[in-house]
Amino acid sequence: MISDKDQFYMQQAIELAKLGRFTTPPNPNVGCVIVKDDHIIGEGYHQKAGEPHAEVYALIMAGNKAQGATAYVTLEPCSHFGRTPPCADALIKAGITRVVVAMQDPNPSVAGNGIKRLRDAGIEVIVGVLYEQAEAINKGFLKCMRTGIPYVQLKLASSLDGKIAMASGESKWITSSTARQDVQQYRAQASCILSTRATVQADNASLTVRYNELPNEIRKIYPPENIRQPVRVIIDSQNRLTGDENIFSQLGETWIVRKQNIPIIKPNTKLIIESSDQNYIDLVELLKELGKNQINSVWVEAGAHLAGALIEQDLVDELIIYYAPKLLGHNAKDLCVLPNLKKLSLAPQFQFESVKAIGDDLKIILKRK
Amino acid sequence: MISDKDQFYMQQAIELAKLGRFTTPPNPNVGCVIVKDDHIIGEGYHQKAGEPHAEVYALIMAGNKAQGATAYVTLEPCSHFGRTPPCADALIKAGITRVVVAMQDPNPSVAGNGIKRLRDAGIEVIVGVLYEQAEAINKGFLKCMRTGIPYVQLKLASSLDGKIAMASGESKWITSSTARQDVQQYRAQASCILSTRATVQADNASLTVRYNELPNEIRKIYPPENIRQPVRVIIDSQNRLTGDENIFSQLGETWIVRKQNIPIIKPNTKLIIESSDQNYIDLVELLKELGKNQINSVWVEAGAHLAGALIEQDLVDELIIYYAPKLLGHNAKDLCVLPNLKKLSLAPQFQFESVKAIGDDLKIILKRK
């Protein structure tokens, strides 16, 4: 039976899980709380691939008291030997008698086996407490496990009238510095930043996470060494990047996407050959390839063409638009290019998910409808 | 001294004032509450020009008990003989000993005289309780009294990327029926709806308030006879309206704005000649003329050209944008035409005032910055 207490402790486990969000990729965020006689006796969260899972930290903290206790875990405990031994076994060994799990792990090497293993050992297992929240903290991991395609977030910064630059190209800055700080934290959570040769060359952009520009509340908790640089994935179908662009001298990896085997010889730089028959880069093939390379979540910062192509092919899971409270008029540059759209009834549809004031701007998040 | 009680009762008076919002134009919304020994003994609000003021209704309800009571009024009681005798005198005569007023009346025939009259009669008068709310319920009346120019609300219905129609002109419908219902209630509160010949002819629009399409919560309170038809003001600088358009056979008045004395002979139809030197209609002159004609508030429903011209000339007090959660792409038609804007730093600036979900859409209200 699920009680209010179960929800309460699972909420604690979810808050713990979130603490790992900048470091766990490609692994999922997982939190664990161990409770005995209405007291939390153990807490843990997964911090980084290769390091112990949430359950292990919580069990170490609980020690002998774990005997007869309840464990709350945001994701089904693993049942396989990966880089660490199976958590299900650790829970059994510690004498845990009840396990509450928010959701089953879609990873085919777990997929119910962890739960089965616990039940076979006589442990009471409850599944589904705060399921939706548990889904929300691992959108990338879960989608990629289920479909092989990463979770795609498209970020746009726009005027009220859907413009991203003046006719002259002038675009610094439409949104406020607060909005641009907000963007930094999305970058920091993503597996990769997807952009194009045009954007990289136009701004000579670095596409890195700049620690100093992260919001204060993030910097308070995370020291610089806890912030990863997501992979920069740059579409360059015409082989026009030279290797001299800023992007190649930044920390972290840069992956160049081309149709042919023409690599750029630079440190931490890799070529992805997208060899489908079309002349242009096949975005579905590219996303599948990224999924195979443990890229669970893609943060897109690009111009109107890539934005439009992703939308037209229905590849965007989440649209994040920062609206600045200004108007740029009909001569300014459009938010997205949708060359094939002729009828209003066929317009790509989303649904509003949340709205938040960010400095002088408004951040609107939409999901695919 | 202002007490919490004063604020509480003034809040009641403001709620009463709002009840008149569909019928009072060109008069202001005013509410009045009379309180004695912590009991409300009288309530009233102004319903319609020519009918008694709020204070009169409240005094009638209070009767003899008004002796020694406190009156809360959202706007300074009048001191002049208009269509009704001065309310200040009525309050004095009834034996009210304390009057709490939210704000002074900017009407030059009142402008502090009502307050002075009360004080001269030995009544304690307190001014400024819930001032901001009192301003907000009479934005049109107050601005027009102070400046001679009506309060201008520009309504836009847009896709996420700032488009108002497909390239083909198809625009029915970008926003949901819920959003269109919401528009009806703004129309019903305005002194006039401002539009253009192009919009009228493109849709053969009626530009009326359709009672059946008002939100339910409005229809619950107001019977059809309490809903006015705002004046329809149509800019027709090229004299292209024929008189056969739908708009001329609707209830309520239609005013046609032309440069020359070429009237349209139809019932309830009037010509406004805007005779400034330019070839086009001078919008400032037009707004002043409307102000002189007791149009306190202007609700604009028009295309990208009039919207852009009003914005470029800084004539929009409030921007009300309904965003539908869809994208129409670069070929679709733009929200506003701003031919003179060349630099990002000169882009018209607003500030977000409120955001509300309306059906599947989002209503965003912005004020001039």
Side-chain angles (χ1 to χ4, degrees):
Chain A
M1 228 190 65
I2 299 171
S3 68
D4 286 356
K5 275 185 194 167
D6 287 341
Q7 295 203 358
F8 175 82
Y9 291 121
M10 186 60 82
Q11 188 71 57
Q12 308 308 306
I14 283 177
E15 298 310 320
L16 284 168
K18 286 181 190 167
L19 291 173
R21 69 192 187 280
F22 296 111
T23 40
T24 51
N27 278 10
N29 296 305
V30 186
C32 176
V33 163
I34 298 178
V35 175
K36 196 174 181 178
D37 302 330
D38 285 345
H39 283 85
I40 293 180
I41 56 170
E43 285 187 340
Y45 68 94
H46 183 47
Q47 289 169 12
K48 215 171 175 176
E51 294 188 3
H53 289 184
E55 299 91 322
V56 174
Y57 286 113
L59 285 171
I60 290 171
M61 183 173 157
N64 286 339
K65 287 185 270 179
Q67 192 81 33
T70 296
Y72 295 86
V73 200
T74 59
L75 188 69
E76 175 183 8
C78 64
S79 52
H80 62 303
F81 282 86
R83 282 187 267 194
T84 57
C87 291
D89 292 1
L91 292 165
I92 296 165
K93 202 175 146 201
I96 295 286
T97 51
R98 185 168 177 263
V99 176
V100 182
V101 171
M103 65 182 299
Q104 194 176 299
D105 187 343
N107 184 342
S109 30
V110 188
N113 290 328
I115 292 167
K116 186 175 179 303
R117 201 148 171 151
L118 293 169
R119 286 191 174 137
D120 287 349
I123 293 176
E124 179 191 7
V125 183
I126 291 181
V127 182
V129 175
L130 302 191
Y131 172 85
E132 285 180 16
Q133 290 191 47
E135 275 273 336
I137 58 174
N138 283 314
K139 290 179 291 198
F141 170 81
L142 295 169
K143 183 184 171 197
C144 212
M145 271 294 165
R146 288 165 182 155
T147 67
I149 292 181
Y151 190 84
V152 177
Q153 294 177 300
L154 170 60
K155 170 247 164 181
L156 300 164
S158 173
S159 64
L160 296 169
D161 52 344
K163 302 295 178 177
I164 56 169
M166 301 298 286
S168 66
E170 185 190 6
S171 69
K172 284 186 178 164
W173 294 104
I174 291 176
T175 52
S176 65
S177 60
T178 321
R180 300 196 308 275
Q181 284 191 355
D182 197 63
V183 167
Q184 289 286 321
Q185 71 172 305
Y186 283 103
R187 283 187 180 179
Q189 290 179 62
S191 302
C192 82
I193 301 172
L194 176 63
S195 192
T196 62
R197 190 275 316 164
T199 297
V200 165
Q201 287 186 333
D203 307 338
N204 206 356
S206 299
L207 296 177
T208 52
V209 179
R210 290 181 289 276
Y211 185 78
N212 293 338
E213 294 176 25
L214 282 168
N216 279 337
E217 59 272 26
I218 304 289
R219 279 183 287 150
K220 246 185 269 171
I221 305 178
Y222 299 93
E225 59 271 24
N226 278 28
I227 300 299
R228 276 174 315 113
Q229 288 300 340
V231 175
R232 295 173 288 275
V233 178
I234 313 299
I235 296 177
D236 180 28
S237 49
Q238 310 295 316
N239 316 320
R240 290 206 251 169
L241 287 172
T242 62
D244 294 331
E245 292 81 3
N246 271 347
I247 205 168
F248 294 103
S249 55
Q250 305 298 322
L251 284 176
E253 294 182 37
T254 305
W255 297 356
I256 301 304
V257 186
R258 292 181 164 175
K259 298 293 292 181
Q260 299 153 286
N261 187 5
I262 305 177
I264 289 181
I265 310 302
K266 280 276 173 180
N268 302 318
T269 299
K270 178 171 129 176
L271 182 68
I272 296 187
I273 304 170
E274 194 290 289
S275 56
S276 66
D277 287 342
Q278 295 92 334
N279 279 326
Y280 49 86
I281 298 292
D282 184 318
L283 293 171
V284 176
E285 290 308 315
L286 170 59
L287 289 175
K288 283 185 187 164
E289 186 63 24
L290 293 177
K292 279 182 208 150
N293 282 274
Q294 299 208 295
I295 298 289
N296 290 334
S297 64
V298 175
W299 174 254
V300 188
E301 293 192 40
H305 283 89
L306 179 57
L310 287 164
I311 288 165
E312 207 151 57
Q313 293 176 58
D314 200 13
L315 295 173
V316 175
D317 294 291
E318 206 172 307
L319 205 53
I320 295 165
I321 313 182
Y322 295 88
Y323 282 106
K326 50 186 90 157
L327 291 158
L328 302 193
H330 64 302
N331 288 325
K333 296 203 172 171
D334 281 311
L335 193 64
C336 75
V337 170
L338 300 175
N340 301 312
L341 181 64
K342 306 278 181 252
K343 286 184 64 177
L344 183 51
S345 58
L346 301 175
Q349 282 263 347
F350 291 80
Q351 54 191 23
F352 292 107
E353 189 81 6
S354 77
V355 181
K356 196 178 169 190
I358 303 281
D360 291 339
D361 304 323
L362 211 59
K363 174 171 70 171
I364 298 186
I365 302 181
L366 300 106
K367 291 262 168 86
R368 216 152 97 173
K369 193 171 179 175
Chain B
M1 228 191 67
I2 299 170
S3 68
D4 286 357
K5 275 184 194 167
D6 287 340
Q7 297 204 355
F8 174 82
Y9 291 119
M10 186 60 82
Q11 189 70 58
Q12 308 307 307
I14 283 177
E15 298 310 318
L16 284 167
K18 287 182 190 167
L19 290 173
R21 69 193 186 279
F22 296 111
T23 41
T24 51
N27 279 10
N29 297 304
V30 186
C32 176
V33 165
I34 298 178
V35 175
K36 196 174 180 178
D37 302 332
D38 285 346
H39 284 83
I40 292 180
I41 58 171
E43 285 188 339
Y45 69 94
H46 183 47
Q47 288 168 15
K48 216 172 174 174
E51 294 187 3
H53 289 184
E55 298 91 322
V56 175
Y57 286 112
L59 285 172
I60 290 171
M61 184 174 157
N64 286 339
K65 285 185 271 178
Q67 193 80 37
T70 296
Y72 295 86
V73 201
T74 59
L75 189 68
E76 176 182 9
C78 65
S79 52
H80 62 303
F81 282 86
R83 285 186 266 195
T84 59
C87 291
D89 292 1
L91 291 165
I92 296 164
K93 202 175 144 199
I96 295 286
T97 49
R98 185 168 178 263
V99 176
V100 182
V101 171
M103 65 182 300
Q104 195 176 300
D105 187 343
N107 184 341
S109 29
V110 188
N113 290 328
I115 292 168
K116 185 174 180 305
R117 202 147 169 151
L118 294 169
R119 286 192 174 139
D120 287 349
I123 295 176
E124 178 191 6
V125 184
I126 291 181
V127 183
V129 176
L130 301 191
Y131 172 85
E132 284 181 13
Q133 289 192 48
E135 275 273 336
I137 59 175
N138 284 314
K139 289 178 291 199
F141 170 81
L142 295 170
K143 183 184 171 195
C144 212
M145 272 294 164
R146 288 167 182 155
T147 67
I149 292 182
Y151 189 84
V152 177
Q153 294 176 300
L154 171 61
K155 170 246 162 185
L156 300 164
S158 172
S159 64
L160 295 170
D161 51 344
K163 302 295 179 178
I164 57 170
M166 301 297 287
S168 66
E170 185 190 6
S171 68
K172 284 186 177 164
W173 295 104
I174 290 175
T175 51
S176 66
S177 61
T178 321
R180 299 197 307 275
Q181 284 190 355
D182 197 64
V183 168
Q184 289 285 322
Q185 70 170 307
Y186 283 103
R187 283 188 180 178
Q189 290 178 61
S191 302
C192 84
I193 301 173
L194 176 63
S195 192
T196 62
R197 189 276 315 164
T199 298
V200 165
Q201 288 187 334
D203 307 338
N204 206 355
S206 300
L207 296 177
T208 52
V209 178
R210 290 181 289 277
Y211 185 78
N212 293 338
E213 294 177 26
L214 282 167
N216 279 337
E217 58 273 25
I218 304 288
R219 280 183 286 149
K220 246 185 267 169
I221 306 178
Y222 300 92
E225 59 272 24
N226 279 28
I227 300 299
R228 275 174 315 113
Q229 288 298 341
V231 176
R232 295 172 287 276
V233 178
I234 314 298
I235 296 176
D236 180 27
S237 49
Q238 310 294 316
N239 316 321
R240 291 205 252 169
L241 288 172
T242 63
D244 294 333
E245 292 82 3
N246 271 347
I247 205 167
F248 294 103
S249 54
Q250 305 298 321
L251 284 176
E253 294 183 35
T254 306
W255 298 356
I256 301 303
V257 185
R258 291 179 165 176
K259 297 294 290 181
Q260 298 152 288
N261 186 5
I262 305 175
I264 287 181
I265 312 300
K266 279 277 174 178
N268 302 319
T269 299
K270 179 171 126 176
L271 182 67
I272 295 186
I273 303 170
E274 193 289 290
S275 55
S276 66
D277 287 343
Q278 294 92 336
N279 279 326
Y280 50 86
I281 299 291
D282 183 317
L283 293 171
V284 176
E285 291 307 316
L286 171 59
L287 289 175
K288 283 185 187 165
E289 186 63 23
L290 293 177
K292 280 183 206 149
N293 281 274
Q294 300 208 295
I295 298 289
N296 290 334
S297 64
V298 175
W299 174 254
V300 188
E301 293 193 38
H305 284 89
L306 180 57
L310 287 165
I311 288 165
E312 208 150 56
Q313 293 175 58
D314 199 14
L315 296 172
V316 175
D317 294 291
E318 205 173 306
L319 206 54
I320 295 166
I321 313 182
Y322 295 89
Y323 282 106
K326 50 186 88 156
L327 291 159
L328 301 193
H330 64 302
N331 288 324
K333 296 202 173 173
D334 281 311
L335 193 64
C336 76
V337 170
L338 299 176
N340 301 313
L341 181 64
K342 306 279 179 251
K343 284 185 65 178
L344 183 50
S345 59
L346 302 174
Q349 281 263 349
F350 292 80
Q351 54 191 24
F352 292 106
E353 189 80 6
S354 77
V355 182
K356 196 179 168 189
I358 304 280
D360 291 340
D361 304 323
L362 211 57
K363 175 171 68 171
I364 297 187
I365 301 182
L366 299 107
K367 291 263 169 84
R368 216 153 95 174
K369 192 169 179 177

